[in-house]
Amino acid sequence: MLASNTNRLTWVGITVGIIAALGLATTAIFPSAMDSAQSQVKHVVIEFVDPDKGFGINNPQSDDYQYNDDGTAYLTNYHQTSKDVVVPSTIHYGGKDYSVTRINDGAVQGKGINSIVIPGSVTAIGNSSFSSNNLTSVSIPDSVKSIETNAFAGNKLTSVTFGSGLMNIGSWAFQNNNIKSITFDDNLKTIGSGAFQGNAFETISLPDKITSIGDWAFTMSDSGSYVKTITAAPADIMPGGINYNANAFDTGVVWPK
């Protein structure tokens, strides 16, 4: 196939071995065809392109994503080689544009990635989706409503920025990182068990709308640093409140007056 307006001659869906054979035999078998092609293209590069992958590392493989009838797509298994990942907001596949709305369970787990850009189309980040990598910071866009179990556990995070749409942080979602300070948006309602266990907090402020904090959510980190002071919190989750959980923090934490 000769790509229009380019100097690239591409054979799609044929094995590399067949292409090599074609390269040797074409002139002898189809001289007129080659003369015609050469009259249009002076420098021709013949290469094999897997139709499911396309050109370049930024072109997502089709089997990296799940394509849904409603026009959405989920990142299901990251196969690319880049350690600095940029998830696209839309993907053109099979003649149709799909909006990437979810990072599926385990999609980028243990891939050795160093950075991640999550687009504003994503509304949910699945279980263990980015766990066991080398992330040092992450920014969650306003579109994300839920970060699920173990989503970012076992990285090297020191900085996390939450968007305004986030309502739920799942159990163990940020366990075993090195986060020292964090700001929760006012719309956050639940923090799961162990969500921030094993970090380096000393002081936190809890948003007004939060109604549930799970067991061990902010307990001791390996370094011995833990939440010692809560500077702000709604009455319902403070000692004596209807949603108070004595197991959410280590003993000795100081609550606001």
Side-chain angles (χ1 to χ4, degrees), residues 31-75:
S32 61
M34 283 302 294
D35 289 343
S36 175
Q38 289 173 354
S39 69
Q40 300 177 53
V41 182
K42 292 182 179 179
H43 302 287
V44 175
V45 177
I46 297 177
E47 63 180 23
F48 170 72
V49 177
D50 186 330
D52 287 339
K53 295 180 181 179
F55 291 105
I57 63 171
N58 293 322
N59 226 0
Q61 294 175 293
S62 65
D63 56 356
D64 280 8
Y65 291 84
Q66 170 186 319
Y67 298 92
N68 305 312
D69 291 340
D70 63 357
T72 63
Y74 301 161
L75 175 60

Side-chain angles (χ1 to χ4, degrees), residues 154-179:
N155 277 276
K156 301 174 181 178
L157 291 171
T158 60
S159 173
V160 178
T161 302
F162 291 123
S164 61
L166 186 63
M167 299 176 68
N168 173 65
I169 297 174
S171 298
W172 321 109
F174 292 91
Q175 182 191 37
N176 294 336
N177 281 280
N178 194 34
I179 306 167

Side-chain angles (χ1 to χ4, degrees), residues 142-227:
D142 292 342
S143 58
V144 173
K145 297 179 180 179
S146 178
I147 298 173
E148 298 172 12
T149 302
N150 285 310
F152 291 93
N155 277 276
K156 301 174 181 178
L157 291 171
T158 60
S159 173
V160 178
T161 302
F162 291 123
S164 61
L166 186 63
M167 299 176 68
N168 173 65
I169 297 174
S171 298
W172 321 109
F174 292 91
Q175 182 191 37
N176 294 336
N177 281 280
N178 194 34
I179 306 167
K180 296 181 179 180
S181 64
I182 202 161
T183 300
F184 299 107
D185 191 83
D186 288 342
N187 288 318
L188 184 66
K189 293 184 177 180
T190 64
I191 297 176
S193 298
F196 293 94
Q197 188 181 57
N199 280 278
F201 295 104
E202 292 191 3
T203 301
I204 62 168
S205 175
L206 296 170
D208 289 340
K209 292 184 180 179
I210 196 156
T211 59
S212 175
I213 301 177
D215 292 346
W216 320 292
F218 294 94
T219 53
M220 187 79 73
S221 71
D222 293 338
S223 66
S225 179
Y226 63 101
V227 174

